[in-house]
């Protein structure tokens, strides 16, 4: 009996992710940036996102945008575990002829929605994506953007935060992986910045899968939603 690509991917679980990441070697891995996102990515792809290899082009799919694209190792490991890309691509990570570059490329990697890596542009793209889906009358797809806390030093994000709150973009979700690397902290923490703009907010332990799932699935009628996932400091 044959299995689909998605079924083969699902043979890999959370316990396999460290082994999948270990297949990716070489320079410029941005290991701390990658490992800080691992649990968030797994919970999203395993339990929340309505997307899979067999429906990667389905107009009704959820959209996941990795704004924190300068450390994509965990992202690639999860995509391999879920069957989007072959596991044997991983050991070529970052090489000249590999589709798995140091920044994800949407034209080369199945399941990747945007090319990313330049800090501060993922959330504005997420706002535009949510507006585009609304304009098309597609009310079911959700848009998820994963950013790092340091990205909130970029002014483009603050414009996006302010606009999304005022526009009531209910289908827009942001996950901020907070590893205490931002230079311009806001008094009261990251959550306060979003709350001031009218977002629904939650702050959780970024390694606690049950807490992440509860925060990701919390109702937030009429408002965009942000989950601040706190992990160990980057310098630790």
């Amino acid at each position: 009996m044959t299995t689909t690509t998605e079924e083969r991917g699902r043979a890999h679980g959370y316990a396999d992710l460290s082994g999948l990441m270990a297949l990716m070697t070489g320079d410029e891995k941005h290991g701390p940036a990658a490992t800080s996102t691992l649990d968030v990515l797994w919970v999203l792809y395993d339990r929340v996102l309505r997307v899979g290899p067999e429906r990667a082009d389905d107009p009704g799919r959820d959209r996941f945008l990795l704004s924190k694209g300068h450390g994509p190792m965990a992202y690639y490991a999860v995509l391999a575990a879920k069957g989007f890309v072959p596991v044997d691509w991983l050991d070529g990570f970052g090489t000249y002829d590999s589709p798995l570059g140091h920044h994800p490329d949407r034209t080369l990697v199945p399941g990747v929605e945007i090319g990313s890596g330049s800090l501060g542009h993922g959330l504005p793209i997420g706002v535009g994506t949510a507006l585009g889906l609304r304009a098309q009358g597609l009310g079911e797809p959700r848009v998820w953007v994963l950013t790092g806390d340091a990205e909130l030093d970029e002014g483009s994000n603050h414009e996006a935060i302010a606009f999304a709150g005022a526009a009531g973009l209910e289908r827009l979700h942001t996950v901020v992986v907070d590893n205490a690397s931002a230079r311009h902290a806001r008094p009261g923490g990251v959550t306060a910045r979003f709350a001031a703009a009218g977002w629904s907010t939650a702050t959780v332990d970024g390694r606690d899968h049950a807490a992440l799932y509860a925060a990701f699935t919390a109702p937030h009628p009429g408002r965009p939603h942000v989950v601040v996932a706190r992990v160990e400091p980057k310098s630790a």
Side-chain angles (χ1 to χ4, degrees):
M1 182 177 67
T2 60
T3 58
T4 66
T5 303
E6 186 172 2
E7 287 167 340
R8 288 196 298 272
R10 285 180 176 169
H12 295 279
Y14 176 76
D16 299 316
L17 294 181
S18 59
L20 293 174
M21 288 184 67
L23 297 174
M24 290 175 273
T25 58
D27 297 329
E28 298 185 27
K29 294 190 297 183
H30 292 284
T35 56
S36 68
T37 66
L38 188 61
D39 297 272
V40 163
L41 285 166
W42 179 254
V43 174
L44 282 172
Y45 273 89
D46 192 54
R47 302 178 63 186
V48 178
L49 293 175
R50 296 175 298 195
V51 67
E54 312 305 329
R55 59 177 301 190
D57 296 319
D58 182 349
R61 74 191 183 280
D62 288 343
R63 274 68 165 176
F64 173 78
L65 313 182
L66 181 70
S67 187
K68 190 179 171 70
H70 58 292
M73 290 173 59
Y75 188 36
Y76 293 154
V78 171
L79 289 177
K82 290 299 179 183
F84 288 88
V85 302
V87 170
D88 59 12
W89 281 13
L90 299 179
D91 58 8
F93 166 71
T95 58
Y96 176 76
D97 58 352
S98 173
L100 304 183
H102 294 296
H103 295 172
D105 186 329
R106 68 176 299 272
T107 68
L108 299 177
V109 186
V112 172
E113 297 279 358
I114 60 170
S116 59
S118 298
L119 296 181
H121 77 298
L123 186 53
I125 293 175
V127 169
T129 302
L131 286 171
L133 292 170
R134 176 192 281 183
Q136 296 175 72
L138 295 173
E140 290 301 315
R142 299 167 299 185
V143 180
W144 290 82
V145 182
L146 192 158
T147 79
D149 61 315
E151 288 188 68
L152 300 185
D153 291 345
E154 302 288 342
S156 56
N157 277 322
H158 294 279
E159 293 183 16
I161 292 167
F163 179 87
L169 294 182
E170 181 178 344
R171 309 308 287 174
L172 178 64
H173 306 74
T174 298
V175 185
V176 180
V177 176
D178 184 358
N179 63 1
S181 59
R183 289 184 174 86
H184 306 300
R186 176 182 171 86
V190 172
T191 307
R193 173 66 187 90
F194 286 84
W199 287 56
S200 166
T201 67
T203 301
V204 298
D205 180 346
R207 302 301 188 191
D208 185 331
H209 290 196
L212 286 168
Y213 178 75
F216 292 162
T217 56
H220 50 95
R223 296 193 290 167
H225 183 55
V226 64
V227 176
V228 178
R230 289 179 173 167
V231 298
E232 59 279 0
K234 184 177 179 179
S235 59

